[in-house]
Amino acid sequence: MLEQDSRDGSIKMEFDFDAVNEEDSPFPEVRASVSNIDDPDMPVMTLRMWIIGLLLSVVGGSMNVFFNFRQPAPNISPLAVVIISFPLGKLFAFVLPITTYRFPRWLGGFEFSLNPGPWNIKEHVLVYIMANVAIGTPYAINAIVVAQINYNFKVDYWFSALLVVATQLTGFGLAGICRRFLVQPPSMVWPQNLVTCTLLNTLHAEEEEQGGITRYRYFLFALSGAFFFWFIPGYLFQALSVFSWICWIVPDNVPVNQLFGVSSGLGMSVLTFDWSQIAWIGSPLMFPWWAEVHMFIGFVLFFWIITPIMYYTNTWDFAYFPLNDNNPYDRFGNVYNVSRVLDSQGQFNQTAYNDYSPLYLPATFAVAYLLAFALSTCVLVHTLLYHGRSLWNGVKRIRVEQDDIHAKLMRNYLDVPDWWYLVSFVFFFFMMVVVVEVWHTSVPVWALLLSILLPCVYVLPSGFIYAMTGQGVSLNLLAQIIPGTLIAGNPVANMLFKAYSVQTLSEATSFVQDLKLGHYVKVPPRATFVVQVVGTLMASFVQVGVKQWMFDNVKDICSPNQPSFLTCPNNAVFFTASAVWGLIGPTRQFGKGALYYPELYAIIVGAFLPLPFWLWQRRYPNSWVKFVTTPVVLNGVSYIPPAGGINYSAWFATGFVFQYLIRKKNFAWWSKFNYVTSAALDSGTVISALVIFFTLEFPNGGIYLNWWGNTVYQNTADYIRLALKQIPPGGIPLQ
């Protein structure tokens, strides 16, 4: 399905029955990206694969943890690892000895070689698989930082490391159990994997290219350009990053700054020259064009239309606070002081709360919760309507779909027994039990059982959507409501519950994605199993160490005016959520009579939202409505907050150029260089940001350029985060 149509720049779902007779995938985009032949004798688990894979996973994961605390922040993508690992593999194949070594008979008599031949695509894809599950910033790190800074919860290295490992790897066991539904069926395309397969096949067929610049040379040129260019918006002329030029003209006009601003506005100015701003929610060169359209339609509808209407009509007292912000507020217009409603045990104090203030949400934060309520039911109903038959067949152990050529070729390899995944699932669950009990986190074990139940319910709906669109579904809302209700007034317990539930689902989806990639490239499933576990374990321990070093050595980290922009935006959002759900509690925020109670009706709306589109496409199967995926519209804007409007408007504008215009006008260039361009921009920007930080900003207090180009954006209502209305004397009247 997802046919790539170069004539109109779109991606369409289409089935080709002729391909079945050709022993190839029935889906055109898979045929264009994935080889339908295999060499079972190709070496896979080689020493050079382990060295390169672990090295790049650890380095990339460390960089991403560092930038998790910065805004704006570049990101090391797994595709960048694909590019970087290619010359390393070639180098190892060139310099390592080709001698074959043999173990003594009493050790099994195995033979191995440091250099079993040319660097091959299966070794390469295992490096990618290792990176894909290992280099992302562990979600639990946000919970650790907020507990440490905002709630004075004492944490040490081993608490942090074991918590991260447990939250990262419980989802691994869950992923393996879902293979029948999400890996083996040919219709589970996983578009990101097609990008990866295209890039891998491109690199390993490089010698066959005739004429023109090779992809790898182009990558080096683009990376160098991105590296040197980012010195301008990242250090020399920072106003090009926060390019709120309209706000510079009228710096005191609050509505103009709110609509066109970059720091706290809705980004209607569209322009920025900073790739880390453009790719904040993911590289626009990677998402399918139709998914980008879905996401931007959702953004325009909910944040450029509905949010301003609610804000400027002062719905729910929005106008007394900044339009777009990561922080909760009190009725006096100040950031909510959590310490004023905590008792000596770190629990909620009702009397102090009554004497102080209810918690108020900025407009974009409240709308984000509104969408999350709708999504929680929309995704389940959508899954039942569009995938219910496949689910039922799988439950009855009927083959969900006929095997394609890739599934047939995978029969040459021993599969991973289900009990391996079950054992890992149980083992890492009990590791989480040990963490919450030994370190006295006040999370009861029965709460962990509920926490793990949520991803078990949502893994298939999320997996179906991810496999079709390249966009996952988060459990953020439910994973906060449940502990907020059952373990009320305990923000640390709420955060740990949420971190475990959300990360288990997220990692399960990533692991399934990699299983499908191994399926496409014909990697032995047991090799994929080992690589995923080892890579995740290694990266987890190193990433926690990086976090520990930063908080021990970086001055003023997580403060709003940190000179290197290490302001911890993700942690600010995490803290706000912990205060709303864990401390104040869902009943006080969204219960009957509460200010935000009407948001609960979104749960009902979300349940009915997919129904008219489903009925229409059944009545008119060739209508454009069959391309509408309502959960993607709702879920696509879930990056707000901490993302801002510019991170969507500039992202979509860039995607329009590459994924629509260039793809339509020059498909040959697009197919050869698009994904390489994305990897080069990501890598060059990240390396440049690290060089600037460690050479210019970190040593001896740093060297900073104080001139108009680095300060003009700071003298605007957008940067200062001014509200539309002044708080009345004595604070907002209590209702």
Side-chain angles (χ1 to χ4, degrees), residues 160-175:
S160 303
L162 293 180
L163 176 64
V164 167
V165 168
T167 55
Q168 293 281 89
L169 280 168
T170 304
F172 174 63
L174 191 58

Side-chain angles (χ1 to χ4, degrees), residues 36 90 248 310 369-370 376 393 423 520 553 562-563:
N36 63 342
K90 290 282 191 179
W248 307 346
M310 296 178 71
Y369 279 139
L370 182 77
S376 63
N393 287 340
V423 167
Y520 278 150
N553 293 278
Q562 210 282 332

Side-chain angles (χ1 to χ4, degrees), residues 307-327:
T307 297
I309 290 174
M310 296 178 71
Y311 185 84
Y312 294 115
T313 56
N314 200 24
T315 304
W316 298 334
D317 295 322
F318 283 153
Y320 292 117
F321 310 105
L323 174 61
N324 180 27
D325 199 2
N326 301 336
N327 296 301

Side-chain angles (χ1 to χ4, degrees), residues 55 68 156 207 368 400 455 483 507 601 608 624 647 657 682 688-689:
L55 175 66
N68 177 66
D156 57 26
E207 294 81 1
V400 176
E507 287 299 302
Y601 290 106
F608 286 96
W624 63 269
N647 304 129
V657 171
D682 287 342
S688 181

